């Protein structure tokens, strides 16, 4: 991926992320990234492994890669006439696809196949859970700042800010120390927990008043049979096995 696209989000603050709709250049770079993404060749199996395809491979490549053409000995296509008045035909033309940048020296002296990345040696690779090591935790189903990412992020962000607004409202005001005058770490832990419980009750009450429905509690664990008295614990403090 070109450096300008790979580092398009480097150093962005929260304000820039929320105002991406007004930043045409950033939005264009985020959209341009998609052509360089791996293509999902096979969905996760029972072990969670997925198979990914090089974006320059397949019958409908999304990029043009000089290294791919050299390694797999792809001959140059015959010149064709492109109807520039047809947007679909223009976008499908090979010359219209973005080019994967490779070092200039590699164009003159290609690297041995064994020194290239795995995906360059073959057209597809298999990625197992944990293959990325420490950076595996940064994997996500939706690409950062992609429209599909915003579709999930915005409702979650609005819900979080709504809960923060309730906690900071005049009725609760969890940040006001005058609402938590008790001393000690234990008291300062229990009191905010009670405040959060109060917020949850208020949310249920507001939902009930708005919808007219009554909240239904989750089913509890199966109670002990009537008249059954559990035996006393054993000497090691553990409950005896059920007969």
């Amino acid at each position: 991926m070109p450096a300008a696209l790979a580092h398009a989000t480097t150093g962005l603050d929260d304000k820039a992320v929320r105002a991406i709709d007004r930043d045409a250049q950033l939005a264009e770079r985020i959209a341009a990234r998609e052509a360089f993404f791996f293509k999902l060749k096979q969905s996760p199996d029972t072990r969670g492994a997925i198979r990914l395809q090089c974006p320059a491979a397949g019958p409908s490549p999304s990029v043009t890669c000089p290294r791919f053409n050299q390694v797999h000995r792809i001959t140059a296509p015959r010149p064709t006439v492109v109807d520039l008045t047809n947007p679909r035909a223009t976008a499908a033309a090979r010359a219209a696809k973005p080019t994967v940048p490779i070092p200039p020296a590699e164009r003159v002296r290609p690297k041995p196949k064994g020194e290239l990345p795995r995906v360059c040696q073959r057209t597809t690779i298999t990625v197992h859970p944990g293959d990325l090591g420490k950076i595996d935790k940064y994997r996500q189903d939706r690409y950062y700042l992609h429209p599909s990412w915003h579709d999930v992020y915005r409702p979650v962000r609005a819900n979080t800010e709504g809960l923060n607004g309730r906690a900071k409202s005049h009725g609760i005001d969890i940040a006001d120390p005058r609402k938590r005058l008790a001393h000690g770490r234990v008291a300062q832990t229990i009191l905010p927990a009670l405040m959060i419980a109060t917020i949850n009750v208020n949310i249920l009450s507001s939902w009930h008043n708005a919808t007219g429905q009554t909240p239904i509690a989750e089913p509890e664990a199966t109670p002990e049979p009537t008249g059954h008295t559990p035996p006393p614990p054993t000497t090691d403090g553990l409950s005896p096995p059920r007969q």
Side-chain angles (χ1 to χ4, degrees):
M1 184 181 294
L5 302 183
H7 299 283
T9 59
T10 302
L12 284 183
D13 55 11
D14 188 63
K15 182 178 180 181
V17 171
R18 286 183 289 177
I20 187 174
D21 295 338
R22 297 190 293 272
D23 191 338
Q25 184 182 31
L26 177 59
E28 289 176 0
R29 289 182 175 180
I30 295 297
R33 284 176 165 182
E34 193 166 358
F36 296 88
F37 293 154
F38 284 116
K39 299 178 181 179
L40 183 62
K41 184 70 173 179
Q42 184 178 352
S43 299
D45 58 12
T46 55
R47 299 172 300 170
I50 59 175
R51 195 153 186 84
L52 303 175
Q53 185 183 48
C54 170
S60 301
S62 57
V63 296
T64 300
C65 180
R67 178 185 292 169
F68 180 88
N69 297 338
Q70 291 175 354
V71 172
H72 301 283
R73 302 184 183 279
I74 304 298
T75 58
R78 297 179 59 182
T80 57
V81 178
V82 179
D83 183 6
L84 299 181
T85 61
N86 187 339
R88 185 174 181 179
T90 303
R94 185 183 182 89
K97 300 182 184 298
T99 302
V100 176
I102 63 174
E106 188 176 340
R107 294 178 178 271
V108 180
R109 294 183 178 180
K111 292 183 178 181
K113 190 173 182 179
E115 298 181 5
L116 297 176
R118 276 196 306 151
V119 72
C120 294
Q121 298 177 25
R122 306 176 63 179
T123 58
T124 60
I125 59 173
T126 300
V127 181
H128 300 84
D131 276 357
L132 300 181
K134 294 182 179 180
I135 64 174
D136 192 72
K137 63 181 180 181
Y138 296 114
R139 292 176 59 185
Q140 52 183 343
D141 295 333
R142 295 170 177 83
Y143 301 112
Y144 183 54
L145 295 185
H146 190 270
S148 61
W149 181 89
H150 275 289
D151 292 341
V152 175
Y153 170 79
R154 285 173 175 168
V156 173
R157 176 63 183 263
N159 185 54
T160 301
E161 293 299 332
L163 292 175
N164 291 341
R166 286 178 177 267
K168 298 175 183 178
S169 64
H170 296 292
I172 303 295
D173 200 359
I174 198 172
D176 187 357
R178 293 176 297 178
K179 301 290 183 68
R180 298 177 280 104
L181 296 178
H183 296 283
R185 179 177 297 180
V186 175
Q188 291 299 319
T189 302
I190 294 177
L191 290 177
L194 295 176
M195 291 180 173
I196 297 299
T198 303
I199 294 174
N200 290 336
V201 172
N202 289 339
I203 293 175
L204 291 175
S205 177
S206 299
W207 176 80
H208 171 69
N209 294 333
T211 63
Q213 303 181 30
T214 302
I216 301 176
E218 295 183 357
E220 300 180 355
T222 303
E224 294 286 346
T226 305
H228 173 74
T229 303
T234 59
T235 56
D236 57 4
L238 301 177
S239 299
R242 183 182 298 274
Q243 299 295 330

